[in-house]
Amino acid sequence: MRATVIHAPGDIRVEDAPEPKIVNPTDAIIRTVATCVCGSDLWPYRGLEPVGDPHPMGHEYVGIVEEVGSEVGNVKPGQFVVGSFATSDNTCANCQKGWQSSCLNREFMGTCQAEYVRIPNAHGTLVATDEHPSGDLVPSLLAVSDVMGTGWYAALAAEVKPGSTAVVVGDGAVGLCGVIAAKELGAERIIAMSRHESRQKLALEFGATDIVSERGEEGIARIKDLTGGIGADSVLECVGTSQSMSQALHSARPGGNVGFVGVPHEVAVDGQELFFSQVGLRGGPAPVRRYLPDLINRVLSGHINPGKVFDLTLPLEQVAEGYKAMDERRAIKALLKP
């Protein structure tokens, strides 16, 4: 089969690779219908994370079940399935409390930019649709496997409530999906921080009521101007840099909450400053599996359309262009078709 391998920063290739096999009785093999490049994939691509030895890439996927292990009873060959970047058995103590991304048997996916993928913990990870979706729904179902679920978690972690004011820091795919989530959860005012016209337009289409293009002290002052001088009830941090975290923490009001889902890089939080700010802080890898049934239904019913974050579609063979386009911010998110 063909699969994506990173060799070094900026060096992404599609190569021949062995087709995956069932290893454990809880595994499934899927034929990938669509996969994509994540903003987090850009960290090693940009040399901001060590690459190490050449290795496969990709953690977002939808596909058709080809084979299941002897202990997988929830899905069967031929079904269209959606999964999560963090696999889970959905039975351990953490899963039972709704934190499947901290499953005691968790494995993170990392081989999905390929024609076939082995899904560990398939019995607890995969959710099948009743029938094969039409092609126009595939991008949104793919978004549910990570960025939409992560944006949803950011909004819940920030405790977005009906009538509240939410700020979204970051205009990548997760941030834009965070705008969708904030609207779905009833936020009355949604302030998207974005400097890019195409992303601003999509944020407004998804439900943002205000756009703030300023950053740093100017950005914080602008947020205060828009929130009666105190800051927002909820802030969704969807980038993962020191600057974005500072922006988020200083944009929340006392008693407000920050949900942070951007994978942190060189982020340090001042404990004394956090103490006196009285801002709540929660983040981490989103428990996407918890939200899958609900988000899949919202997509299939036409209620949400997060697939619009994919503004570039390429064959898998051109995956290097997908990385390059996202790195140069010519694309929000690249969808790959094996």
Side-chain angles (χ1 to χ4, degrees):
M1 71 166 185
R2 303 291 281 166
T4 302
V5 175
I6 185 169
H7 285 258
D11 186 359
I12 293 281
R13 309 177 197 173
V14 176
E15 302 177 346
D16 290 327
E19 289 189 11
K21 306 293 184 185
I22 296 290
V23 175
N24 299 309
T26 51
D27 290 347
I29 305 297
I30 66 165
R31 173 170 54 82
T32 311
V33 170
T35 180
C36 53
V37 182
C38 183
S40 62
D41 294 333
L42 296 181
W43 291 105
Y45 180 81
R46 290 170 169 161
L48 300 173
E49 282 181 3
V51 172
D53 294 332
H55 59 82
M57 291 291 286
H59 54 265
E60 297 157 280
Y61 57 95
V62 292
I64 306 296
V65 177
E66 292 283 309
E67 184 182 0
V68 296
S70 59
E71 295 182 14
V72 177
N74 61 314
V75 298
K76 58 186 178 182
Q79 287 185 309
F80 183 96
V81 291
V82 183
S84 165
F85 61 88
T87 71
S88 53
D89 61 23
N90 222 18
T91 59
C92 79
N94 285 335
C95 287
Q96 289 299 299
K97 292 183 181 298
W99 294 95
Q100 289 89 342
S101 51
S102 290
C103 173
L104 296 175
N105 293 302
R106 177 189 67 190
E107 292 187 39
F108 283 116
M109 297 301 299
T111 64
C112 299
Q113 291 164 5
E115 292 179 306
Y116 294 90
V117 184
R118 181 179 74 89
I119 311 295
N121 295 313
H123 59 303
T125 301
L126 297 176
V127 176
T129 57
D130 290 338
E131 55 189 31
H132 286 206
S134 59
D136 62 316
L137 292 173
V138 168
S140 286
L141 292 170
L142 176 61
V144 164
S145 77
D146 184 350
V147 290
M148 186 62 241
T150 298
W152 195 265
Y153 173 57
L156 290 175
E159 298 192 14
V160 173
K161 292 181 171 61
S164 65
T165 294
V167 170
V168 180
V169 180
D171 61 2
V174 171
L176 291 167
C177 288
V179 172
I180 295 176
K183 182 180 182 186
E184 291 292 299
L185 293 171
E188 183 174 287
R189 191 169 201 178
I190 303 170
I191 304 168
M193 304 196 74
S194 173
R195 290 173 166 169
H196 301 85
E197 184 177 355
S198 61
R199 299 172 189 230
Q200 292 173 352
K201 286 182 178 178
L202 194 52
L204 292 170
E205 183 178 341
F206 282 164
T209 55
D210 302 86
I211 300 291
V212 169
S213 59
E214 295 88 348
R215 291 289 183 276
E217 293 299 323
E218 290 184 0
I220 294 165
R222 185 77 182 114
I223 296 297
K224 295 285 179 68
D225 287 343
L226 292 169
T227 54
I230 61 171
D233 304 310
S234 301
V235 182
L236 289 63
E237 193 287 313
C238 304
V239 183
T241 65
S242 176
Q243 293 85 356
S244 62
M245 180 62 87
S246 176
Q247 183 81 66
L249 289 171
H250 290 94
S251 296
R253 65 167 172 80
N257 292 280
V258 172
F260 69 105
V261 294
V263 180
H265 286 72
E266 298 183 354
V267 172
V269 177
D270 185 312
Q272 190 168 67
E273 184 175 308
L274 182 64
F275 178 82
F276 283 104
S277 73
Q278 296 190 305
V279 169
L281 183 62
R282 168 169 284 166
V288 170
R289 178 59 181 85
R290 188 203 316 175
Y291 313 131
L292 280 182
D294 177 38
L295 293 179
I296 290 172
N297 285 336
R298 289 175 193 254
V299 167
L300 296 179
S301 66
H303 199 67
I304 62 174
N305 190 5
K308 287 188 174 183
V309 298
F310 294 105
D311 55 351
L312 178 64
T313 298
L314 296 168
L316 178 64
E317 291 293 330
Q318 296 181 27
V319 63
E321 169 57 20
Y323 276 76
K324 192 169 188 290
M326 288 177 62
D327 178 48
E328 295 173 353
R329 295 184 74 83
R330 289 185 284 111
I332 299 172
K333 194 168 178 68
L335 184 147
L336 304 170
K337 290 187 173 179

